Amino acid sequence: MTTIHTIERKPRAASDGPPPLLIMLHGYGSNEQDLFDLGEYFDPRMHIVSPRGVLDLGFGFAWYHLGGAPGNLIPDPATRARARDILAALVSDLPGRLGTDPQRTYLLGFSQGAVMSLALAAHIPGQLAGIIPISGYLDPDSLDGPLPAAIAELPILQIHGTEDAVVPIAAARRTRDTLAPLARRHTYQEYPVGHTISMDGIQLIQGWLAERLAT
């Protein structure tokens, strides 16, 4: 497996059995620290891991290269596919390495990290307990074929800002409409914000994770 730099926060409270795992995927030009402190808001039983993007841009890190401009960004298919495979291997590896529950692995991704979380949901839905894509979208060109049947039972909490100038709200709504007939456990929420994670969104995630972990 390709080596990928990660930081982690061990559970702050005990679980009945192996703890759940939350993997946080940052956006383009950022790094593993960007989302990490959000872990303070979530269930203290979670083991949190934040990996660094595999591409060093000089001013930050990314999962794949982008062309175009904000509002019309064009992904590079080769580096995106490589990142998906690297992250899929990480998802498979971490529960055994960390001692977390392999049936309770969650992804939270922002922007490019959200794109990766949706790509992973389509690629390895059976290895995930749920995903939280924020300010991202499902790119049909990232799929190997039709969405797998297993995505029907995968909990998905999709969040987007209506004022997002980087990833326009239209992209999020297309993703919503693509998932709606297939993903029976898909929740979609818009907020009147830009390309960011709002406190309302954080509170929604808190409740959504709490509901998942209670079952």
Side-chain angles (χ1 to χ4, degrees), residues 163-180:
E163 309 306 310
D164 194 328
V166 178
V167 180
I169 189 64
R173 291 170 179 168
R174 283 194 298 271
T175 296
R176 173 198 64 193
D177 295 344
T178 298
L179 292 173

Side-chain angles (χ1 to χ4, degrees), residues 21 28 68 91 99 101 103 108 110 118 131 164 174 176 186:
L21 172 63
Y28 183 87
V91 168
D101 186 344
Q103 302 301 315
L108 182 153
F110 176 72
L118 285 159
I131 67 165
D164 194 328
R174 283 194 298 271
R176 173 198 64 193
H186 174 237

Side-chain angles (χ1 to χ4, degrees), residues 9-10 27 37 41 45 47 57 77 102 105 112 121 157 170 174 191 194:
R9 176 180 289 120
K10 295 181 179 180
D37 287 345
Y41 291 99
R45 295 171 295 174
H47 194 128
L57 303 174
T105 296
Q112 197 177 83
L157 175 60
R174 283 194 298 271
Y191 292 107

Side-chain angles (χ1 to χ4, degrees), residues 27 34-35 38 108-112 114 132-136 158-169 172 189-203 205:
D34 187 46
L35 302 175
L38 289 179
L108 182 153
F110 176 72
S111 193
Q112 197 177 83
I132 307 164
I134 307 165
S135 300
Q158 182 189 356
I159 300 173
H160 212 97
T162 57
E163 309 306 310
D164 194 328
V166 178
V167 180
I169 189 64
Q189 180 65 53
E190 296 178 359
Y191 292 107
V193 298
H195 195 66
T196 189
I197 304 174
S198 68
M199 184 52 67
D200 285 339
I202 291 172
Q203 291 172 348
I205 295 166

Side-chain angles (χ1 to χ4, degrees), residues 68-125:
N72 187 31
L73 296 170
I74 303 170
D76 171 60
T79 52
R80 180 179 56 193
R82 176 175 177 267
R84 187 199 68 177
D85 291 344
I86 290 171
L87 285 170
L90 184 72
V91 168
S92 297
D93 175 69
L94 283 177
R97 177 147 55 94
L98 301 177
T100 59
D101 186 344
Q103 302 301 315
R104 294 195 294 170
T105 296
Y106 296 86
L107 301 180
L108 182 153
F110 176 72
S111 193
Q112 197 177 83
V115 176
M116 295 310 305
S117 71
L118 285 159
L120 288 164
H123 186 54
I124 52 167

